[in-house]
Amino acid sequence: QVQLVESGGGLVQAGGSLRLSCAASGSFSSYAMGWFRQGPGNEREFVGAISRSGTRTYYADSVKGRFTISRDNAKNTVYLQMNSLKSEDTAVYYCAAEYTVISGRNPGAYDYWGQGTQVTVSS
């Protein structure tokens, strides 16, 4: 069993930065982690993922070069650093855990989800 709690969301101006954190309980280092987001009226969208060791990451094209995922297995935490934010990044952001080496883009494959944190980017 893994419990995930996101934090760090808020209101930021376009061009600004935010760092989201996702604190986990349980066997965190056994899980690959993903970040997803869901804007108003939209389906949940893949943002990026990181392998359970932290050595591999990959991102959606919409955030590549602007967002960075990292993890600290000693602190049971995964991070999403978001730079050069745009209004279209406004969404509720979720972290998720999958019991595998590296997780994918399919939200249905993930085993556990956090409650989400709101990010609002004003233009």
Side-chain angles (χ1 to χ4, degrees), residues 22-72:
C22 172
S25 64
S27 303
F28 177 69
S29 60
S30 298
Y31 289 80
M33 300 296 296
W35 283 96
F36 290 79
R37 66 186 181 186
Q38 188 165 16
N42 296 334
E43 294 185 351
R44 196 162 293 191
E45 174 191 18
F46 173 79
V47 174
I50 187 167
S51 62
R52 63 186 184 191
S53 67
T55 57
R56 286 184 283 167
T57 56
Y58 67 102
Y59 303 91
D61 288 344
S62 58
V63 306
K64 198 174 296 182
R66 299 188 298 123
F67 290 12
T68 303
I69 298 174
S70 61
R71 66 189 294 164
D72 186 338

